[in-house]
Every structure is written in structure tokens, then in C-alpha cells.
Amino acid sequence: MADEKRFAVLIDAENVSEKYIKFILDEISNDGVATIKRIYGDWTKTIMTSWKNVLLDNSITPIQQYSYTTGKNATDSAMIIDAMDILYSGNIDGFCLVSSDSDFTRLASRLRESGMVVVGMGEKKTPNPFIAACNKFKYLEVLAQDAIPADDAHEETQDHLAGLDHTSLDAVRNTVLTIVQETSDDDGWASLGDIGNILTKRYPDFDVRNYGFRKLTPFIKSLKIFDIRSVRGKDGHVSIIYVKEKEHEQGR
């Protein structure tokens, strides 16, 4: 589509496993199209040979960065320089930064200051400053788990979610309640779409998959303090979903 956002996907190979590549590209396709796909690392190391077929199958360009100093992640500077060059080219609308390294926190902030949409992706060990610097952040373990058929996923999902240091369910519940109160009409109804957008702005790591759900509506229902109603368009399909605080919860 002509109005799709164009993304530059930049991957830190030293902080991400090759098993996540398909999930990364599938997820960014929900936001737009990956017009630039680059991955950074020292490809002379034997440990990187497992990446070869993955890069070929997904048309990702490897960028060589030698490790000049022991103990330093040389890919950081290469990614940052490339990101700024891409930014100034003016050919993209956003960045997907894939790393579990906090060294990219300032880069994410700088790109957002320039009007870029920044989607972060990393493993559950990712430090909070990098997560907070992105418009939204996705945990790679959750993306991989989401690909498992629902009938097979429940037990494994709980194991994965137990290790995530994401925003607590209580915090999200209270925030949803506040959003409904702030954005509702005179009858107390608020748009589910607005709730989802505001939640992501307040909590970059918010994703219903972090809590074992695949859609926002069942997640909101699970909070047990909201009524939900759907408005259908002339074609009979649901066009807008509204959320309202349950009567017996009001005034608590």
C-alpha cells in the first residue's frame, strides 16, 4: 500500500539469536514495510556461521565490523553511524532496532527527536532505559511464542511470561481505568482503539501477548472491571468497540 511506513531494520547480531529473525520481520510487517534490512557483527568469527542461511533466506545485508578491542561491542558504533546516515537520507519513516543492549538508548531517543517511529525488539534481559526510549518495544521470546498454535502454547507461554520483567498487570489495569475515565463520552464509553494507542504511549513494552492474550478485546475482558459493546457498520461488520467501567466498580 502506498501509505505504508518504510522501516530500516538494524540488527545487532552479537545480542540477538538467529532463531528470532523470521519473527522480527513478521512483526515489523504489522507496522509497515522493511525497505532496509541490515545486520551487524564480526562475520569472521566461527560462531557467526549459523547466520549464513538465515540472512540469505530473508535478504538481510550483513555489515562486517571487526572487534578491535577485547570486551567492547564493536557493532554498536557501526549501527549508530549507519542509522544516522539512513536518517539523513530522508527515505524512511521509522527504525526497528533489534538488540538487548542499553547502548542503543541514546540512538533511539535521537531518532525519535527527529520524528522517526522507533520500534525496539530484544530479549527479556533488555534494560529498561532502552525499552523506554522506543515508541514501542517487543520481547523476542513473546514473538516466538506467539507463533506456536494456540492448542500447544498454553504451558510454554506461562513459562516464558514468568521470566518477563514487563509492566505489571495491576499497573495496566489501573491505567486502562484512568484512560477510560479521561477519554469517555458523557455516557462513560471510551473507544477501544484509543485505549490501545494511549497504553502503548504510556508503556512502550505493552503488548497483550505479554499477558497470554493475542487480541486487546479479550485482554480487556479479563480485567473483569469493564463492559464492552460493539457498534456495527452498514455492512454488518464490527466497526468500533467501546469500553465502559462496570456500574458496580464506579466510585470505588
Side-chain angles (χ1 to χ4, degrees), residues 55-155:
L55 302 187
L56 291 173
D57 292 343
N58 293 280
S59 189
I60 302 173
T61 303
I63 306 297
Q64 172 63 32
Q65 185 61 43
Y66 293 102
S67 300
Y68 297 110
T69 306
T70 303
K72 290 288 186 179
N73 186 353
T75 65
D76 291 5
S77 57
M79 266 185 67
I80 292 168
I81 291 171
D82 260 13
M84 297 310 294
D85 285 343
I86 294 169
L87 171 66
Y88 292 131
S89 74
N91 294 325
I92 50 93
D93 305 298
F95 286 81
C96 176
L97 304 179
V98 186
S99 179
S100 303
D101 192 339
S102 62
D103 288 349
F104 295 105
T105 301
R106 180 66 188 111
L107 174 61
S109 298
R110 176 65 181 82
L111 295 173
R112 289 185 65 182
E113 289 170 2
S114 295
M116 294 288 105
V117 174
V118 179
V119 178
M121 297 188 193
E123 297 178 343
K124 60 187 179 183
K125 64 184 179 181
T126 305
N128 285 328
F130 177 49
I131 294 172
C134 301
N135 290 95
K136 54 184 176 180
F137 185 88
K138 305 294 182 180
Y139 291 101
L140 295 176
E141 293 92 342
V142 174
L143 297 185
Q145 189 61 43
D146 190 50
I148 297 176
D151 291 342
D152 304 327
H154 181 71
E155 185 174 341

Side-chain angles (χ1 to χ4, degrees), residues 236-252:
H237 293 97
V238 174
S239 56
I240 303 177
I241 298 175
Y242 291 98
V243 176
K244 181 180 181 180
E245 184 181 1
K246 287 182 181 291
E247 295 292 338
H248 65 269
E249 296 288 339
Q250 295 179 13
R252 279 192 168 189

